[in-house]
Amino acid sequence: MLSIRKTYFWIHLYMLFIQVLSPAIFKPADELGVLFMLILIGLDMAVNRDFVRYKGMFIVAGILSLYALYSLFFLNFNTGKAILVDFVIESKPFVPFFISFAIAPRYTHKECQIMKASALLLAFVLLLIFVTGLTHAILFHVAYLGSTAFICFLTYIFCSIRSDGTIKRRDIILACTILAIGLCCTRSKYFGEAVMALFFLFLYRPGMFKQIKMKQVVTICLVFAAVLAVSWQKINYYFIVGNGDSFDPEVMESFARPALIGGAYIILCDFPLLGSGLASYATFASGPDVHYSSVYAIYDLDKVYGLSEQFPAFICDMFYASFAQFGLVGIGLFIFFFLWIYQRLRLVLHDESHILFSIGVLVIIYVMIENVGSTLFSQSGGLYSMMVLGAIIGKYRHCNKEQRKLILQQDYK
């Protein structure tokens, strides 16, 4: 029998290390990781004859195939090559999630120690990169420092949970050290993520919001205020004053992202159900590196600084704008997907550990916040995060409705 779990551990470790190395050394490193996973499950299906447990991945592939056919035969906004490239890009985050969900890895003590040591090592490599001034040379953008530090933090906590669902004080201190290293990125998004991480690590207790009292209301308000305070600079820059000290319509660079959102709204009005199709808007495949989509010219977005064919720096810079490609059906499916995940995270809360539940929620928060000003969901950080999320809830893949009901009747862990 092919040992899927043991092989998957090394792929997991590889996906952790490329968070630092892939931008500078080998850009397609995340695609290579996905390829390793596909080869692994291909061998599993061939040798162990196990097809059913990967059905989630096949469902997503089927949905995206329908979108590809819709884009190719019913619309004319981009080439077949660009549509194929976008099909691959949009599939990427779902492959590691559903493979991890299917394998449901629970690593041995030795494997967890390797993962923890690797997370610590990478965090201090990040610090060294920052201190030596090599951030832009290796990571391209200082934001990668915060994003990677948060991934190392999640990994360390994930591998530190003991059999009784608790974490040693020493491990909590080291995890917070990793989190502190990420503060060097000075990015508002990371500050918001760090506030949420500290809340779930030190303040959150199961059931604390079940019966809302004044204490819970105050806690929610304080956490929200803290996240808003540390994120305000970025919100202000993106959507209010831009590069200047006041609202200035001439500063086009500062309006690239709002223009993407505004364009997405107009496109959704014109193509409400299924959107404008793959490779048409706000994705790498819709830019000139593959083939420049005609949608930008149709909606006069090709004149916006950062969205033009000559200077497309901000085309693939806001994940939520790409919802215009999928319409209300795609938006609904995306929301359903994460609600489906959360329902299984609730099982983790009742059956395993509130810390493991918190890690799952933090992964979702991390992905959602990062996607405001990036397309992390389909990049190496998003792929790795979805691997962790799939591993957390994978234990409940076989649970039927009755079993889930029984688990939810148990006390919180």
Side-chain angles (χ1 to χ4, degrees):
M1 296 286 284
L2 179 67
S3 179
I4 296 297
R5 193 204 59 78
K6 287 184 179 179
T7 308
Y8 190 75
F9 166 76
W10 295 108
I11 296 176
H12 192 155
L13 193 62
Y14 164 82
M15 292 297 289
L16 176 62
F17 271 95
I18 67 168
Q19 303 305 315
V20 173
L21 303 178
S22 64
I25 297 176
F26 186 53
K27 287 184 180 180
D30 54 346
E31 284 88 352
L32 188 61
V34 173
L35 180 61
F36 288 155
M37 294 181 214
L38 290 173
I39 291 172
L40 180 65
I41 68 160
L43 290 172
D44 184 30
M45 289 187 287
V47 177
N48 297 332
R49 303 293 179 183
D50 201 343
F51 300 91
V52 177
R53 65 173 172 171
Y54 301 111
K55 65 180 180 181
M57 191 177 65
F58 296 135
I59 290 171
V60 171
I63 292 170
L64 287 174
S65 295
L66 291 175
Y67 268 103
L69 293 173
Y70 163 72
S71 308
L72 193 61
F73 295 109
F74 293 92
L75 302 169
N76 192 29
F77 294 134
N78 217 326
T79 64
K81 176 187 174 182
I83 290 169
L84 178 61
V85 169
D86 204 28
F87 173 87
V88 173
I89 291 172
E90 301 300 335
S91 302
K92 277 167 56 181
F94 298 102
V95 171
F97 171 78
F98 279 111
I99 291 178
S100 194
F101 178 69
I103 296 172
R106 286 291 188 269
Y107 298 133
T108 64
H109 177 73
K110 182 180 178 180
E111 289 168 340
C112 284
Q113 292 301 107
I114 292 172
M115 293 293 287
K116 287 165 63 177
S118 300
L120 273 175
L121 173 64
L122 287 178
F124 282 101
V125 167
L126 288 173
L127 183 61
L128 183 64
I129 289 171
F130 177 79
V131 171
T132 55
L134 295 174
T135 305
H136 290 283
I138 296 178
L139 298 175
F140 291 154
H141 196 288
V142 72
Y144 282 109
L145 191 151
S147 177
T148 305
F150 200 78
I151 284 173
C152 291
F153 163 78
L154 290 172
T155 301
Y156 194 90
I157 290 291
F158 176 66
C159 294
S160 297
I161 301 174
R162 295 182 288 188
S163 57
D164 61 354
T166 61
I167 299 178
K168 292 179 181 178
R169 181 176 296 181
R170 172 179 172 273
D171 287 326
I172 291 176
I173 292 171
L174 288 172
C176 289
T177 302
I178 295 173
L179 201 63
I181 289 173
L183 296 174
C184 296
C185 75
T186 69
R187 285 300 182 266
S188 301
K189 288 189 296 184
Y190 182 80
F191 294 160
E193 293 157 8
V195 168
M196 294 304 299
L198 293 174
F199 166 74
F200 275 102
L201 198 58
F202 294 107
L203 297 178
Y204 174 75
R205 292 296 178 269
M208 67 181 297
F209 299 124
K210 193 171 183 180
Q211 293 181 341
I212 300 296
K213 299 178 182 178
M214 183 55 66
K215 182 180 178 180
Q216 282 77 18
V217 172
V218 171
T219 302
I220 293 171
C221 290
L222 287 175
V223 172
F224 178 76
V227 172
L228 185 62
V230 298
S231 304
W232 177 251
Q233 182 184 359
K234 191 62 67 177
I235 296 170
N236 190 45
Y237 176 81
Y238 282 171
F239 302 113
I240 302 177
V241 304
N243 291 334
D245 295 325
S246 60
F247 183 83
D248 184 0
E250 298 301 318
V251 184
M252 297 307 293
E253 179 180 0
S254 64
F255 293 104
R257 291 188 179 98
L260 275 176
I261 289 293
Y265 173 76
I266 297 170
I267 292 169
L268 285 171
C269 290
D270 291 342
F271 303 91
L273 286 181
L274 296 176
S276 55
L278 296 182
S280 64
Y281 191 72
T283 60
F284 174 77
S286 70
D289 287 337
V290 181
H291 192 274
Y292 193 64
S293 170
S294 60
V295 164
Y296 299 110
I298 293 171
Y299 292 95
D300 288 328
L301 291 168
D302 58 332
K303 299 178 179 65
V304 177
Y305 182 83
L307 305 181
S308 65
E309 188 170 3
Q310 293 72 33
F311 188 76
F314 298 108
I315 281 179
C316 183
D317 206 38
M318 182 174 272
F319 173 77
Y320 298 119
S322 67
F323 282 155
Q325 293 194 150
F326 301 98
L328 296 177
V329 171
I331 293 172
L333 289 171
F334 185 81
I335 293 171
F336 172 79
F337 173 66
F338 278 98
L339 288 176
W340 178 83
I341 289 173
Y342 183 74
Q343 289 302 316
R344 277 140 190 85
L345 282 175
R346 289 179 63 214
L347 301 178
V348 174
L349 181 61
H350 286 265
D351 191 51
E352 290 189 84
S353 162
H354 80 272
I355 297 176
L356 196 58
F357 165 83
S358 297
I359 295 170
V361 173
L362 281 173
V363 168
I364 296 174
I365 290 171
Y366 164 70
V367 169
M368 296 305 172
I369 291 178
E370 287 291 332
N371 281 336
V372 171
S374 74
T375 53
L376 174 121
F377 191 58
S378 57
Q379 296 172 0
S380 59
L383 271 57
Y384 183 84
S385 302
M386 296 307 290
M387 284 181 73
V388 174
L389 198 53
I392 290 171
I393 65 172
K395 177 182 175 180
Y396 305 97
R397 181 170 57 90
H398 294 295
C399 278
N400 57 38
K401 189 175 180 180
E402 234 6 84
Q403 290 171 325
R404 291 196 295 268
K405 186 177 178 181
L406 288 173
I407 291 173
L408 293 174
Q409 289 174 350
Q410 297 174 187
D411 291 335
Y412 297 118
K413 299 294 183 181

